Amino acid sequence: MDDEKKKKKGNKLDLNLLPSSLKERYTAMGILPKPQIPKANIQVDVQRMKQKKMEKEQPIEQKLESIEIKASEKKQLEKVFQMLKKKDVDYFDMKDVDKMLRFLGVALTKSEIDLMLWEVDENLDGKVSWTEFLNMYKKCTIDKTGLEPKSLYHMVQFLMYLPLDRKDPKITVEDTLELLYVRFGRQSLDSEIHAIFGDEEKSKDGQEKAISFSEYMEKINERAIQQRKLRKEEQKQQFQYFKKEKN
């Protein structure tokens, strides 16, 4: 009798030896328990997430009013606004932007330029006033999502770096130093310069490297793609974190 029990015990089915297809089938039928998936050990900055939520809930008007623009920034913004608008008016329009883009060596279609203005034209009158211009700059500088339209902003930023008396519309590292320092501080200055000019700060002939608006936009777009990938990975980690907390 004992031998028969031992024999039966010895013939007990080892579930680990089942083919994967059978395991999946038996699991679906409820015969086998669902495998336990180990929870990922993800480090998430909860305080940062709460802060981002609070900022998102804050009205945009309140955000813009609280943003302080440094004197050197405002001076350059005023310079660019004067460059764009006609002398006898207090706004600029599509023709003014087209003229500036051509000076920078870029030719866009009428619809593309119209879209640039539409992004910042709050009252939809086809003109950009100083208030709309300033609000556009503030919105873009605080944007952490990458969702704020920045076509006009990038052109304005380039013109802020560009000296008024320069006939060849190219910028150097020296042109950007003051504004980058004011906006990002010494700690991030090198990384910001690298993002704009790349690895080499001098040209092949040993002269200080100067880049055009088209070259500037290439670097800006490269950086935007990298930041988008980082944000996507961060969102993925946050989703896994909340899923872990829920379970």
Side-chain angles (χ1 to χ4, degrees), residues 3-247:
D3 292 338
E4 288 181 7
K5 287 182 179 180
K6 288 180 180 179
K7 188 175 181 181
K8 287 181 180 180
K9 188 176 181 180
N11 292 333
K12 186 178 179 180
L13 179 62
D14 188 349
L15 299 179
N16 292 324
L17 299 178
L18 286 174
S20 58
S21 57
L22 283 178
K23 285 183 181 180
E24 292 175 3
R25 182 180 176 187
Y26 289 158
T27 301
M29 293 171 65
I31 298 173
L32 294 178
K34 292 184 179 180
Q36 294 296 319
I37 301 174
K39 295 181 180 180
N41 183 22
I42 301 169
Q43 298 294 326
V44 176
D45 191 338
V46 179
Q47 287 301 118
R48 183 185 172 197
M49 289 165 61
K50 289 180 179 179
Q51 180 66 26
K52 286 173 71 176
K53 184 179 179 182
M54 289 174 63
E55 290 175 356
K56 188 176 181 181
E57 292 172 350
Q58 187 181 22
I60 185 63
E61 293 81 8
Q62 188 176 342
K63 284 184 183 179
L64 295 179
E65 287 178 7
S66 64
I67 297 171
E68 180 185 355
I69 299 223
K70 302 286 176 38
S72 54
E73 277 185 284
K74 192 170 183 180
K75 180 181 177 181
Q76 292 302 320
L77 278 170
E78 290 170 346
K79 176 197 78 174
V80 174
F81 190 73
Q82 293 297 323
M83 289 172 68
L84 287 167
K85 79 179 192 68
K86 298 178 182 70
K87 290 183 179 180
D88 55 343
V89 295
D90 58 355
Y91 63 84
F92 62 85
D93 57 21
M94 190 171 68
K95 290 182 180 179
D96 300 317
V97 174
D98 181 44
K99 182 180 178 181
M100 181 58 68
L101 285 170
R102 290 181 185 280
F103 168 69
L104 296 175
V106 177
L108 297 183
T109 64
K110 181 180 178 181
S111 59
E112 287 173 329
I113 299 172
D114 190 41
L115 180 60
M116 286 178 70
L117 261 69
W118 178 82
E119 292 174 354
V120 300
D121 183 11
E122 296 173 357
N123 60 4
L124 301 178
D125 63 351
K127 306 168 186 175
V128 178
S129 66
W130 168 251
T131 301
E132 290 171 329
F133 185 73
L134 190 60
N135 285 343
M136 173 273 298
Y137 184 79
K138 288 181 177 181
K139 287 177 185 177
C140 291
T141 53
I142 65 171
D143 176 46
K144 305 297 182 185
T145 65
L147 301 177
E148 187 69 35
K150 294 183 179 178
S151 299
L152 184 63
Y153 168 78
H154 290 316
M155 185 189 77
V156 169
Q157 188 73 81
F158 184 85
L159 291 172
M160 288 173 74
Y161 298 138
L162 186 70
L164 269 174
D165 58 352
R166 187 162 300 166
K167 295 180 180 179
D168 184 15
K170 292 184 178 182
I171 59 171
T172 65
V173 172
E174 185 178 354
D175 297 328
T176 66
L177 286 177
E178 182 181 358
L179 280 175
L180 290 178
Y181 181 80
V182 167
R183 282 193 60 192
F184 302 103
R186 180 64 189 88
Q187 186 176 359
S188 301
L189 182 61
D190 291 338
S191 62
E192 292 299 322
I193 291 174
H194 181 270
I196 297 174
F197 294 93
D199 297 323
E200 301 296 331
E201 294 184 14
K202 292 187 179 296
S203 59
K204 292 180 180 179
D205 58 2
Q207 299 295 318
E208 187 175 15
K209 187 175 183 179
I211 62 173
S212 65
F213 179 58
S214 296
E215 292 170 317
Y216 173 79
M217 285 307 304
E218 284 180 16
K219 292 295 183 182
I220 293 297
N221 291 332
E222 285 176 10
R223 190 183 199 185
I225 292 171
Q226 293 173 354
Q227 290 175 335
R228 197 174 296 121
K229 289 179 179 177
L230 289 174
R231 282 193 297 270
K232 190 174 181 180
E233 182 60 30
E234 185 181 63
Q235 290 172 350
K236 182 180 177 182
Q237 290 184 349
Q238 290 178 0
F239 173 77
Q240 291 176 341
Y241 171 79
F242 285 120
K243 188 176 179 181
K244 174 185 175 183
E245 288 295 302
K246 188 176 180 180
N247 294 336

